[in-house]
Amino acid sequence: MTLRDIFEKKKKPKFLFFGGKGGVGKTSCSAAAALYAAEQGISTLILSTDPAHSLGDSFQQKLSGNPTPIEGVPNLEAIEFDVKQSMKEAEDKLRSSEETSEVMAQAEMLGVTEMFDTTPPGADEALAFSKILDYIDEPTHELIIFDTAPTGHTLRFLSLPDVFDSWIGKLIMLRMRLSSFIGTIKKFFGRGDEKDTSLEQLKLFKKRIEAARPELSDPNKTEFIPVLIPAQMAIFETERLLQALYEYEIPVKHVVVNMIAPDSQDCAFCMARKKVQSESIQTIKEYYEDFILTEVPLFDTEVQGLEMLRKVAKILF
Ligand SMILES: Nc1ncnc2c1ncn2[C@@H]1O[C@H](COP(=O)(O)OP(=O)(O)OP(=O)(O)O)[C@@H](O)[C@H]1O
Ligand SMILES: [Mg+2]
C-alpha cells in the first residue's frame, strides 16, 4: 500500500505533517512527498524547522527562512526556519527593550536575575508551532508540508489548557504581574501612563490557535503521517505520538515504515538484522492494522538530491 490515495481524493489536503522519532526519515519522506506533489502540478511549500539544515541537504540547495524555489522543480518552494537563530533574535530584542531593563532592575533588586538566564523549556517548540500557525492561512500554495514535528508535542499547543500552562502563558502572566508592579512604582514616581499589552497578546495567540484548530482537525484538509523504522524503540515512540495526535484530534490515516533491510542470503549480518526487523514489522502490522502502511527499503546511499528523492517518492506513492 502507498500514500497515493492522498492526492487522488477529490478534495486534496492542504496540510501534511511528517513526524516521528529522531533520524527515522521524516525529512527524507517530507522532501520526497513535496517533490511528488509539485511534479503532479500541485503548488507546494515545504517547511522545516530543523536547525541541522537537513532539508537543504535533501534538495542539495541552500535554503533560508523565506520561501526559496527548488531549482529544476516548478511548483516547489522550501523554507528552512532556524528556530534557534530566531529565538536568539527575539531574546536580544527583548533584552534591549526599555521595559525589560526595568524588569531586570527589579529582578536584580529582588535577587532573582537567574530566572531570566535560561530560555524556558519548550520555547523552541512553541516557536516552531507559531511558525506553523503563520502558514495556516497562507493563500499562495495549494499544499504545505511540515517537516517540523519530531513528536506530537509541537502540536500540543492546540490543546487549550496547554496554552496557558505553556511558558508563553506563564511568561505573559508574569510580565503582567511585573508590569503592574512596575506601573505602581511608576505611579509613585508620577509617570505611570503606559498600557500593558500582554493580555492582548495572549488573547491573540489563543485566537490564532482557535482559528487553526478546525483546519488541522479536518480530515479533508490535514493529515499527519507518522514515520518509523522497524525497531522496538521507534514503535514505543510512535505509540506516544499517535496518542498525542488522537488527543489533539489530528487526522492520521497512513504510517510509513522506513529503512527496511533488504534480503541477502549471503550476508549473515544482514540476515540477522532482517530477522530482528521482521519481528518489529510483525508488531507494526498488528498494532497499526487500521492504518495504511507504506514500506520503504533501506537504500545503500543517503536520500539526497532530486534523483534519490524521486526514487523514494515512487515507493511512497
Ligand atoms: N530509506 C533510507 N535508506 C537509506 N538512508 C535513508 C533512508 N531514509 C533516510 N535515510 C538517511 O538517513 C538519515 C536520516 O534521515 P532524515 O534526515 O530524513 O531523518 P529525520 O527523521 O528527518 O531526522 P531528524 O530527526 O534528525 O530530523 C539521512 O542521512 C537520510 O539520507
Ligand atoms: Mg529531519
Side-chain angles (χ1 to χ4, degrees):
M1 295 262 232
T2 68
L3 303 177
R4 198 180 180 124
D5 61 295
I6 293 178
F7 296 118
E8 284 181 345
K9 284 191 290 191
K10 220 166 164 194
K11 190 132 188 21
K12 293 184 177 52
K14 172 90 200 266
F15 308 109
L16 287 183
F17 290 83
F18 283 86
K21 200 172 151 45
V24 293
K26 301 177 289 291
T27 303
S28 305
C29 291
S30 317
L35 179 62
Y36 176 82
E39 291 187 333
Q40 299 287 304
I42 300 168
S43 133
T44 304
L45 175 73
I46 176 165
L47 185 148
S48 163
T49 50
D50 182 353
H53 303 296
S54 27
L55 191 60
D57 291 342
S58 294
F59 288 115
Q60 294 179 322
Q61 187 180 328
K62 196 168 161 27
L63 302 172
S64 76
N66 296 314
T68 306
I70 297 300
E71 287 156 26
V73 189
N75 305 319
L76 181 56
E77 293 189 313
I79 294 180
E80 204 152 47
F81 178 68
D82 194 331
V83 173
K84 291 236 154 61
Q85 177 62 26
S86 73
M87 207 142 73
K88 202 185 158 298
E89 279 165 19
E91 267 171 23
D92 289 349
K93 208 162 128 195
L94 198 70
R95 272 185 211 291
S96 62
S97 83
E98 195 183 316
E99 194 185 351
T100 307
S101 50
E102 284 187 54
V103 171
M104 286 309 278
Q106 300 300 326
E108 225 160 85
M109 218 171 73
L110 299 167
V112 292
T113 46
E114 65 278 11
M115 243 175 85
F116 298 92
D117 286 347
T118 50
T119 319
D124 44 352
E125 280 189 339
L127 201 60
F129 178 71
S130 89
K131 200 67 199 167
I132 294 173
L133 290 183
D134 285 350
Y135 284 90
I136 291 297
D137 47 11
E138 194 250 14
T140 44
H141 297 87
E142 291 167 277
L143 171 71
I144 303 181
I145 296 184
F146 295 103
D147 162 32
T148 178
T151 62
H153 300 310
T154 310
L155 295 173
R156 84 193 139 101
F157 296 98
L158 282 174
S159 137
L160 208 56
D162 269 1
V163 178
F164 294 99
D165 284 346
S166 74
W167 69 272
I168 301 190
K170 284 183 180 147
L171 210 64
I172 290 176
M173 293 303 177
L174 178 72
R175 242 188 73 182
M176 276 168 61
R177 292 209 185 112
L178 279 173
S179 48
S180 76
F181 171 59
I182 290 169
T184 313
I185 292 177
K186 277 183 187 161
K187 268 194 209 108
F188 189 78
F189 290 108
R191 57 178 219 20
D193 44 5
E194 295 108 20
K195 263 180 92 174
D196 181 56
T197 60
S198 310
L199 195 59
E200 272 68 51
Q201 280 174 32
L202 187 60
K203 279 186 188 151
L204 193 73
F205 188 53
K206 216 183 102 187
K207 261 211 179 106
R208 289 175 71 207
I209 292 172
E210 271 161 11
R213 197 177 298 117
E215 299 287 311
L216 296 180
S217 57
D218 181 347
N220 284 321
K221 290 185 178 161
T222 298
E223 189 178 331
F224 193 112
I225 303 165
V227 181
L228 79 164
I229 54 171
Q232 283 306 318
M233 294 284 276
I235 298 174
F236 293 147
E237 183 96 11
T238 308
E239 285 297 282
R240 282 193 288 269
L241 172 60
L242 285 170
Q243 182 60 37
L245 294 170
Y246 178 76
E247 271 166 38
Y248 311 144
E249 296 176 357
I250 312 279
V252 182
K253 235 182 105 185
H254 298 81
V255 172
V256 173
V257 191
N258 190 20
M259 303 195 192
I260 297 182
D263 276 319
S264 49
Q265 307 290 346
D266 51 352
C267 157
F269 176 79
C270 309
M271 290 308 286
R273 286 281 335 144
K274 185 82 194 164
K275 187 167 177 295
V276 174
Q277 277 203 349
S278 49
E279 281 160 21
S280 293
I281 292 173
Q282 201 45 46
T283 312
I284 290 170
K285 283 187 175 150
E286 280 163 24
Y287 278 25
Y288 307 129
E289 58 175 358
D290 295 338
F291 299 101
I292 299 171
L293 290 185
T294 305
E295 297 183 6
V296 180
L298 176 70
F299 298 102
D300 58 4
T301 60
E302 296 270 326
V303 180
Q304 280 187 7
L306 296 183
E307 200 185 315
M308 251 333 263
L309 289 173
R310 273 194 199 104
K311 209 164 156 178
V312 174
K314 201 164 170 214
I315 293 163
L316 283 178
F317 294 93

